[in-house]
Amino acid sequence: MESRTALLIGASGLVGNELLKLLLQSDIYERVTILVRRPLPVQHPKLQQIIINFDELEKYEAFFLVDDVFSCLGTTMKKAKTKQRFIKVDYEYTLRAASLAEKCNVKSFSAVSALGANPRSLFFYNRVKGETEEAIQRLSLKSVHIFRPSLLLGEREEFRLLEKVAEWIYHGISFMMKGKLRKYKPIEAKKVAMSMYRAAISCQKGVHIYESYKMENVL
Protein backbone atom coordinates (compact mmCIF):
# COMPACT_ATOMS: atom_id res chain seq x y z
CA MET A 1 0.00 0.00 0.00
CA GLU A 2 1.28 3.47 -0.90
CA SER A 3 2.26 5.85 1.86
CA ARG A 4 -0.44 8.12 3.23
CA THR A 5 -0.72 11.33 5.22
CA ALA A 6 -3.17 12.04 8.03
CA LEU A 7 -4.67 14.96 9.90
CA LEU A 8 -6.06 14.28 13.36
CA ILE A 9 -8.28 16.66 15.31
CA GLY A 10 -9.04 15.87 18.94
CA ALA A 11 -5.81 14.02 19.68
CA SER A 12 -5.96 14.86 23.38
CA GLY A 13 -9.14 12.87 23.96
CA LEU A 14 -9.49 9.21 24.87
CA VAL A 15 -10.02 7.89 21.33
CA GLY A 16 -7.86 10.54 19.70
CA ASN A 17 -4.88 9.67 21.88
CA GLU A 18 -5.15 5.98 21.00
CA LEU A 19 -5.54 6.80 17.32
CA LEU A 20 -2.47 9.03 17.39
CA LYS A 21 -0.42 6.12 18.74
CA LEU A 22 -1.63 3.89 15.91
CA LEU A 23 -0.90 6.44 13.21
CA LEU A 24 2.60 7.11 14.50
CA GLN A 25 3.35 3.37 14.77
CA SER A 26 1.96 2.64 11.31
CA ASP A 27 4.25 2.00 8.36
CA ILE A 28 1.47 3.22 6.08
CA TYR A 29 1.41 6.82 7.33
CA GLU A 30 4.52 8.83 6.56
CA ARG A 31 3.28 12.10 8.08
CA VAL A 32 0.77 12.81 10.83
CA THR A 33 -0.44 16.31 11.65
CA ILE A 34 -2.51 17.15 14.70
CA LEU A 35 -4.39 20.39 15.35
CA VAL A 36 -4.41 21.17 19.07
CA ARG A 37 -5.14 24.02 21.46
CA ARG A 38 -2.11 23.13 23.56
CA PRO A 39 0.96 21.05 22.62
CA LEU A 40 0.84 17.40 23.63
CA PRO A 41 3.82 15.75 25.38
CA VAL A 42 4.47 13.57 22.32
CA GLN A 43 7.48 13.63 20.05
CA HIS A 44 7.95 11.60 16.88
CA PRO A 45 9.88 12.16 13.62
CA LYS A 46 6.71 12.13 11.51
CA LEU A 47 4.49 14.10 13.92
CA GLN A 48 3.65 17.75 13.27
CA GLN A 49 1.78 19.60 16.01
CA ILE A 50 -0.05 22.78 15.04
CA ILE A 51 -1.36 25.03 17.81
CA ILE A 52 -4.59 26.63 16.62
CA ASN A 53 -7.66 28.58 17.60
CA PHE A 54 -10.57 26.36 16.57
CA ASP A 55 -12.77 29.42 16.13
CA GLU A 56 -10.49 30.26 13.18
CA LEU A 57 -10.28 26.76 11.75
CA GLU A 58 -10.53 27.91 8.14
CA LYS A 59 -7.17 29.68 8.49
CA TYR A 60 -5.55 26.24 8.69
CA GLU A 61 -7.01 24.89 5.45
CA ALA A 62 -3.57 24.00 4.07
CA PHE A 63 -3.16 21.31 6.74
CA PHE A 64 -6.22 19.51 5.34
CA LEU A 65 -4.28 18.66 2.18
CA VAL A 66 -3.80 15.07 3.31
CA ASP A 67 -5.16 11.65 2.44
CA ASP A 68 -7.21 11.02 5.57
CA VAL A 69 -8.81 13.33 8.12
CA PHE A 70 -9.83 11.99 11.53
CA SER A 71 -12.08 13.97 13.87
CA CYS A 72 -12.22 12.85 17.49
CA LEU A 73 -13.62 16.14 18.69
CA GLY A 74 -16.12 16.08 21.50
CA THR A 75 -16.90 17.60 24.84
CA THR A 76 -19.34 17.10 27.71
CA MET A 77 -22.02 19.38 29.12
CA LYS A 78 -19.95 19.60 32.30
CA LYS A 79 -16.98 20.98 30.38
CA ALA A 80 -18.99 23.03 27.89
CA LYS A 81 -21.20 24.52 30.65
CA THR A 82 -23.78 25.70 28.11
CA LYS A 83 -25.70 24.08 25.26
CA GLN A 84 -24.37 26.73 22.89
CA ARG A 85 -20.76 25.85 23.72
CA PHE A 86 -21.51 22.14 23.38
CA ILE A 87 -23.00 22.72 19.92
CA LYS A 88 -19.98 24.79 18.91
CA VAL A 89 -17.53 21.99 19.69
CA ASP A 90 -19.47 18.87 18.75
CA TYR A 91 -21.40 20.24 15.79
CA GLU A 92 -19.79 23.38 14.41
CA TYR A 93 -16.11 22.46 14.74
CA THR A 94 -16.69 18.94 13.44
CA LEU A 95 -18.75 20.10 10.46
CA ARG A 96 -16.26 22.84 9.60
CA ALA A 97 -13.46 20.26 9.66
CA ALA A 98 -15.50 17.99 7.38
CA SER A 99 -16.16 20.89 5.01
CA LEU A 100 -12.45 21.68 4.80
CA ALA A 101 -11.75 18.00 4.17
CA GLU A 102 -14.28 18.09 1.33
CA LYS A 103 -12.71 21.24 -0.12
CA CYS A 104 -9.26 19.64 -0.02
CA ASN A 105 -10.55 16.48 -1.71
CA VAL A 106 -9.34 14.05 0.95
CA LYS A 107 -9.62 10.31 0.43
CA SER A 108 -11.54 9.73 3.66
CA PHE A 109 -13.12 11.55 6.58
CA SER A 110 -13.71 9.70 9.85
CA ALA A 111 -15.55 11.04 12.89
CA VAL A 112 -16.45 9.83 16.37
CA SER A 113 -20.13 10.21 17.15
CA ALA A 114 -22.07 8.40 19.90
CA LEU A 115 -24.41 5.52 20.58
CA GLY A 116 -27.98 6.65 19.99
CA ALA A 117 -27.11 9.56 17.72
CA ASN A 118 -30.35 10.69 16.09
CA PRO A 119 -31.29 14.16 14.76
CA ARG A 120 -34.85 13.60 16.01
CA SER A 121 -33.90 12.38 19.48
CA LEU A 122 -35.62 13.90 22.51
CA PHE A 123 -32.25 13.94 24.25
CA PHE A 124 -30.10 16.99 23.55
CA TYR A 125 -26.77 15.13 23.42
CA ASN A 126 -28.02 12.44 21.02
CA ARG A 127 -29.82 15.00 18.88
CA VAL A 128 -26.70 17.14 18.39
CA LYS A 129 -24.65 14.05 17.53
CA GLY A 130 -27.32 12.98 15.03
CA GLU A 131 -27.52 16.43 13.46
CA THR A 132 -23.74 16.41 13.08
CA GLU A 133 -23.81 13.03 11.36
CA GLU A 134 -26.58 14.18 9.04
CA ALA A 135 -24.74 17.38 8.10
CA ILE A 136 -21.52 15.49 7.34
CA GLN A 137 -23.38 13.06 5.10
CA ARG A 138 -24.78 15.94 3.05
CA LEU A 139 -21.26 16.91 1.98
CA SER A 140 -19.63 15.54 -1.15
CA LEU A 141 -16.90 13.56 0.58
CA LYS A 142 -15.60 10.48 -1.20
CA SER A 143 -15.52 8.29 1.86
CA VAL A 144 -17.18 8.92 5.24
CA HIS A 145 -16.81 6.72 8.32
CA ILE A 146 -18.90 7.48 11.41
CA PHE A 147 -18.29 5.65 14.68
CA ARG A 148 -20.91 5.34 17.43
CA PRO A 149 -19.24 3.99 20.56
CA SER A 150 -21.12 3.32 23.78
CA LEU A 151 -19.44 4.13 27.11
CA LEU A 152 -15.72 4.47 26.41
CA LEU A 153 -13.23 2.60 28.58
CA GLY A 154 -9.68 3.84 29.09
CA GLU A 155 -7.47 6.03 31.20
CA ARG A 156 -8.59 9.64 30.99
CA GLU A 157 -6.55 12.65 32.08
CA GLU A 158 -9.39 13.85 34.28
CA PHE A 159 -11.36 11.73 36.74
CA ARG A 160 -15.06 11.40 35.87
CA LEU A 161 -16.95 9.92 38.82
CA LEU A 162 -20.17 9.03 37.01
CA GLU A 163 -18.29 7.30 34.18
CA LYS A 164 -16.18 5.35 36.68
CA VAL A 165 -19.31 4.21 38.51
CA ALA A 166 -20.86 3.18 35.19
CA GLU A 167 -17.70 1.22 34.33
CA TRP A 168 -17.84 -0.69 37.62
CA ILE A 169 -21.52 -1.50 37.10
CA TYR A 170 -21.03 -2.60 33.50
CA HIS A 171 -18.05 -4.79 34.39
CA GLY A 172 -20.25 -6.56 36.92
CA ILE A 173 -23.08 -7.25 34.49
CA SER A 174 -21.11 -7.52 31.22
CA PHE A 175 -22.00 -11.20 30.93
CA MET A 176 -25.62 -10.09 30.49
CA MET A 177 -24.83 -7.76 27.59
CA LYS A 178 -26.11 -10.02 24.84
CA GLY A 179 -28.79 -9.84 22.20
CA LYS A 180 -30.55 -6.47 22.18
CA LEU A 181 -28.40 -5.29 25.10
CA ARG A 182 -25.18 -5.94 23.23
CA LYS A 183 -25.03 -2.44 21.74
CA TYR A 184 -24.89 -0.89 25.22
CA LYS A 185 -21.80 -2.80 26.27
CA PRO A 186 -18.87 -0.44 27.06
CA ILE A 187 -16.01 -0.45 24.59
CA GLU A 188 -12.31 0.24 24.96
CA ALA A 189 -11.16 3.46 23.29
CA LYS A 190 -8.32 1.60 21.58
CA LYS A 191 -10.87 -0.59 19.77
CA VAL A 192 -12.64 2.46 18.41
CA ALA A 193 -9.28 3.90 17.34
CA MET A 194 -8.31 0.67 15.58
CA SER A 195 -11.68 0.62 13.81
CA MET A 196 -11.09 4.16 12.56
CA TYR A 197 -7.60 3.31 11.38
CA ARG A 198 -8.72 0.22 9.48
CA ALA A 199 -11.69 1.97 7.93
CA ALA A 200 -9.52 4.80 6.59
CA ILE A 201 -7.02 2.51 4.89
CA SER A 202 -9.76 0.27 3.48
CA CYS A 203 -10.45 2.84 0.74
CA GLN A 204 -14.20 2.10 0.84
CA LYS A 205 -16.28 4.72 -0.94
CA GLY A 206 -19.56 6.10 0.36
CA VAL A 207 -20.93 6.50 3.88
CA HIS A 208 -20.28 3.84 6.53
CA ILE A 209 -21.65 3.84 10.07
CA TYR A 210 -20.15 1.63 12.76
CA GLU A 211 -22.23 0.78 15.80
CA SER A 212 -20.39 0.05 19.03
CA TYR A 213 -20.84 -3.73 19.01
CA LYS A 214 -19.41 -3.92 15.47
CA MET A 215 -16.10 -2.55 16.76
CA GLU A 216 -15.87 -4.95 19.69
CA ASN A 217 -13.82 -7.66 17.94
CA VAL A 218 -11.46 -5.42 15.99
CA LEU A 219 -8.38 -6.30 18.08
Side-chain angles (χ1 to χ4, degrees):
M1 182 178 289
E2 62 180 15
S3 296
R4 300 167 79 97
T5 54
L7 174 66
L8 170 59
I9 305 171
S12 62
L14 203 54
V15 174
N17 184 258
E18 293 291 346
L19 181 56
L20 178 58
K21 294 175 188 176
L22 287 173
L23 294 173
L24 294 178
Q25 293 167 1
S26 172
D27 292 331
I28 296 173
Y29 287 92
E30 64 179 4
R31 189 177 78 250
V32 179
T33 301
I34 58 175
L35 303 184
V36 292
R37 288 190 178 89
R38 294 179 297 276
L40 300 184
V42 180
Q43 293 186 351
H44 195 281
K46 62 184 180 183
L47 175 63
Q48 179 182 33
Q49 296 200 50
I50 308 299
I51 313 303
I52 75 164
N53 178 351
F54 279 90
D55 288 327
E56 301 176 340
L57 191 58
E58 284 72 19
K59 288 185 177 180
Y60 306 92
E61 179 182 328
F63 295 106
F64 284 78
L65 293 169
V66 295
D67 293 306
D68 306 302
V69 172
F70 300 92
S71 175
C72 298
L73 286 172
T75 187
T76 62
M77 279 303 299
K78 182 179 179 180
K79 278 188 174 182
K81 300 188 185 309
T82 66
K83 288 185 176 181
Q84 290 73 21
R85 179 62 186 170
F86 181 88
I87 290 171
K88 173 172 278 192
V89 175
D90 281 59
Y91 179 87
E92 291 181 17
Y93 290 168
T94 303
L95 181 57
R96 286 162 66 187
S99 298
L100 287 169
E102 174 193 40
K103 187 175 180 180
C104 292
N105 200 32
V106 303
K107 291 180 179 177
S108 76
F109 180 82
S110 300
V112 177
S113 182
L115 177 70
N118 186 330
R120 286 160 289 282
S121 175
L122 296 176
F123 299 101
F124 173 75
Y125 180 87
N126 290 348
R127 184 168 67 253
V128 173
K129 291 294 189 181
E131 290 171 348
T132 305
E133 289 186 10
E134 198 171 63
I136 291 172
Q137 292 180 59
R138 284 197 293 265
L139 299 175
S140 299
L141 288 157
K142 297 175 183 176
S143 177
V144 174
H145 302 279
I146 295 172
F147 301 82
R148 296 174 174 171
S150 57
L151 177 69
L152 288 167
L153 303 178
E155 293 301 319
R156 297 182 185 274
E157 288 186 1
E158 78 279 11
F159 180 77
R160 297 182 182 178
L161 178 60
L162 291 179
E163 289 192 1
K164 279 299 179 184
V165 171
E167 280 186 35
W168 295 331
I169 293 173
Y170 277 121
H171 278 308
I173 63 173
S174 60
F175 67 95
M176 299 171 57
M177 295 296 193
K178 298 177 181 179
K180 292 182 179 180
L181 294 177
R182 186 182 175 193
K183 65 180 180 180
Y184 298 108
K185 184 178 179 181
I187 185 169
E188 294 174 69
K190 61 184 178 181
K191 290 184 177 182
V192 181
M194 179 58 80
S195 297
M196 296 181 76
Y197 173 83
R198 290 187 179 179
I201 64 176
S202 70
C203 301
Q204 296 181 76
K205 303 294 183 182
V207 176
H208 306 273
I209 296 177
Y210 305 81
E211 298 294 347
S212 196
Y213 70 91
K214 292 184 179 179
M215 298 180 263
E216 184 60 37
N217 299 316
V218 71
L219 296 180

